[in-house]
Amino acid sequence: MAGFRLQTSIGIAPGGRPAAACEISPTGVTAAATAAAGEAPVFASETLAPNVVTPGLLEGNLHDLPAISAAIRTALGHVQPRTKSVTVVVPDPAVRIFVLDFDTLPARQDEALPVLRFRLRKSVPFDVEQAGISYQVLSEGSSRTETQWKVLAAIMPGPVLAEYESAVRAAGYEPGAVLPATLAVLAAIDSQEAVLTLNLGDRALTTSIVSGNDILLYRTVELPPEPEAHKAEVQRAIAVAAAFFEDRLQVRPHRILYAGVLPVHEFAELVDDPALSIGEVAPRAAIGMASAIGQHSVAGVTGALMGTN
């Protein structure tokens, strides 16, 4: 894969990410699995009632555990995973992502994690000692540079992480890893060029800029429910990301790679910018379906399966 190589997974099981994934979102559950190594995945989805999933940093993201677990069980049953261990893709608002600079960082994970927890203690409104946390080194500078390490860190409140894991276990599966939705989406992108990516959820929008294996921007904003305010906030977030893209890379972005709850043509109407072409990270028409997908995005579970055996 020439694009972003994803290593960050909260609570990853030994041996890497599983060959099955499910994404839990406010609109429903999307599942994917590969029948054998090297084969294309198959996909399925189940819709959830409104407000059954309300993602955030406070405990109480999942309001009908039996219904959510039933949706997970049904969706995964359609794709017939060859493992009970699955990667769980969770909404962006339930996780905080940071790109951090360090002068030095221990090479051993058990020594690096306490350093990260200490650094993040004042940056998140929850207990970092009980949180799920993972990281990957994006770049290492030489000893002559002032900053030697650039690190991507993902941190999720412990009680919120336990909610999502409990829903998966109640469905009869084991959470082998947990990924925030947009990090999973980025892993599905195969590009040697810098890319501006937008992941539109039911309640939030995440804009990101990836260049090779480096993340230049990762920003999640909550979206208001009113249609006009919603549209204005989406356009504002894109304008901020485009300005950042131009500032860092000295060129205006001409293309957005999109994943989200709206069909790509509806999202293009929402963006309403003829200077930007809109492409899909994972077009629905190009996938194998074990059940109707509807408007559910498959980009997250597609990225979650990248690099699995």
Side-chain angles (χ1 to χ4, degrees):
M1 180 180 178
F4 180 67
R5 296 183 300 275
L6 180 65
Q7 300 163 13
T8 302
S9 299
I10 298 170
I12 192 165
R17 290 195 306 279
C22 70
E23 179 171 3
I24 304 170
S25 76
T27 57
V29 173
T30 303
T34 55
E39 290 192 8
V42 292
F43 301 84
S45 70
E46 290 291 312
T47 300
L48 292 171
N51 300 316
V52 168
V53 178
T54 56
L57 298 177
L58 298 178
E59 190 173 5
N61 279 217
L62 309 184
H63 304 286
D64 189 341
L65 189 63
I68 296 167
S69 294
I72 294 170
R73 186 182 306 111
T74 300
L76 283 169
H78 282 308
V79 300
Q80 300 181 345
R82 48 195 167 98
T83 171
K84 286 294 185 181
S85 180
V86 300
T87 295
V88 186
V89 181
V90 300
D92 287 333
V95 188
R96 284 293 177 265
I97 302 295
F98 296 90
V99 179
L100 305 170
D101 293 327
F102 290 91
D103 292 336
T104 184
L105 189 71
R108 288 173 44 136
Q109 181 175 327
D110 61 342
E111 296 175 352
L113 285 177
V115 175
L116 287 165
R117 292 186 192 277
F118 180 80
R119 175 75 174 270
L120 294 172
R121 184 170 289 121
K122 294 183 179 180
S123 300
V124 295
F126 52 84
D127 183 1
V128 299
E129 297 304 324
Q130 301 302 316
I133 185 169
S134 187
Y135 72 97
Q136 73 182 70
V137 176
L138 298 176
S139 62
E140 295 180 45
S142 69
S143 60
R144 297 186 297 275
T145 61
E146 182 179 348
T147 298
Q148 297 186 45
W149 300 81
K150 185 176 183 181
V151 175
L152 173 70
I155 185 167
M156 187 174 185
V160 177
L161 174 61
E163 281 188 77
Y164 288 92
E165 290 180 330
S166 294
V168 174
R169 291 191 175 105
Y173 294 87
E174 184 63 26
V178 177
L179 290 173
T182 295
L183 282 188
V185 168
L186 293 180
I189 297 172
D190 187 0
S191 175
Q192 294 180 338
E193 299 180 350
V195 176
L196 172 58
T197 303
L198 274 70
N199 186 23
L200 178 66
D202 185 59
R203 302 165 187 264
L205 172 71
T206 299
T207 53
S208 54
I209 300 171
V210 173
S211 181
N213 202 42
D214 193 8
I215 294 182
L216 306 180
L217 174 72
Y218 192 104
R219 179 173 180 258
T220 299
V221 295
E222 301 286 337
L223 296 174
E226 300 80 10
E228 287 304 314
H230 183 279
K231 180 176 181 178
E233 188 59 41
V234 168
Q235 292 179 347
R236 187 179 301 112
I238 293 172
V240 169
F244 191 89
F245 190 103
E246 184 174 17
D247 180 65
R248 290 295 301 271
L249 299 167
Q250 307 305 306
V251 62
R252 290 283 296 177
H254 59 86
R255 185 168 183 254
I256 290 173
L257 279 182
Y258 164 72
V261 294
L262 291 178
V264 64
H265 68 277
E266 291 185 20
F267 180 72
E269 292 174 1
L270 188 66
V271 173
D272 192 22
D273 185 346
L276 288 171
S277 66
I278 312 293
E280 283 190 276
V281 174
R284 294 178 180 88
I287 65 173
M289 294 180 290
S291 76
I293 293 296
Q295 299 305 322
H296 297 279
S297 172
V298 299
V301 290
T302 299
L305 294 181
M306 297 300 289
T308 60
N309 294 321

